[in-house]
Amino acid sequence: MCNLINEAHQHSLSRRGILNGAAALGAAALTSALTAPAAAAAALAAQNNAVTGKGRTRVVLLGTAGGPMTWLAPHNGPDRARHGIATALVVGDRYYLVDCGMGVAHQLRLAELGRDGDFAGFEGLNSIFLTHLHSDHTMDYFNVLLAGWYHGLPGPEPVQVYGPGRRGSLPPIHGSGEVDVINPSNPTPGTTDMTEYLIQAYATDLNDRMRDSRKPHIRNLLHANDIALPKDVLADANHDTAPEMDPFIVMEDDRVRVSATLVDHGAVFPAFAFRFDTDDGSVVFSGDTAPSQNLIKMAQDTDVLIHEVIDADWVNALYGEPPYTPEEEGFIQHLLHSHTTIEQVGPVAEAAGAKTLVLSHLAPGNNPRDRWMKAQNGYTGKLIIGEDLMEINVP
Ligand SMILES: [Zn+2]
Ligand SMILES: [Zn+2]
């Protein structure tokens, strides 16, 4: 990628130079430096950026709620809706989507990342990265593609989807007793399996639209990839889900290099954090994790760390005083051992040397802002409490 990145970097520098110079030189000078359509587009982009302050590379928080529940305004306070977890990293006219929680397709249209128009909106979507296969991160995954089929997809290339492969074995049962197994022949499907099952589940609709409405073949829309772990990583689904390891590269193109590492999300395996390096800076997505040394290692000196967070006081108050039923106990231990508390997240960001910490995947989604502000304890960088549709320029 280095050559491509360097070329892109030079290109972007020259383009930025042109854009920066545009105001001083005026439209006539700009037009002489570019062809007419390119000059018009550059002038429009410069005008838009001047108005909105939007950077070429930026994070768009599409949904910021932790867990499957969304929190709706006005019940959650005016303008305080929180949709399911989903984030876009925008680099120029292209964007990369991390997780697909409830409402992501709706939020993508509100974020206006694609072209405007009745049958537009998803054009810039390049690829989707799933941190893990908990439903609050995947609930609207197929909706993005089904809605995109009618609103801008497929682009020139299929959307590439990267996510965990099969777990390989069922997780242990918390407590005692038996639990029924869904789909015994493949009880822990990975990303490609899940995608294939979804295509099959929608076969009636897909065949109808491909035949009757002559929509392009659904397989031209997407291509799913299971992220393979490096061979020297000795991870084990039921004993060591996140052994100490170096980050590894999952994907790279002319705008981003995407690395991954295993993080500690209780029984979930594999669970990934991702790092995106661009010409303008870096962004790390924690996914769901307890405080993770692998994450801290991968996030060293990052410009923006987007980290999950949970309020332990809220968890401890969920069911009142003990004793708890086995179901309550199971849920409480999952929440406290698989996530990062308000008290823990600041020191994690500090250890990583992250310049900006953005809290997202907030549990509960209706917590008062004052509670989240306590994440500043132990962290000397800039703290941002994530809100739906908030945009953060990189760097
Ligand atoms: Zn989650
Ligand atoms: Zn999770």
Side-chain angles (χ1 to χ4, degrees), residues 250-270:
V250 173
M251 178 277 236
E252 52 186 334
D253 63 15
D254 58 337
R255 299 191 193 183
V256 297
R257 176 192 287 124
V258 186
S259 311
T261 196
L262 286 170
V263 291
D264 181 7
H265 190 33
V268 177
F269 177 80

Side-chain angles (χ1 to χ4, degrees), residues 67 85 132 134 136-137 288 339 361:
I85 183 71
H132 64 297
H134 263 157
D136 54 320
H137 298 248
D288 283 12
H339 295 282
H361 194 282

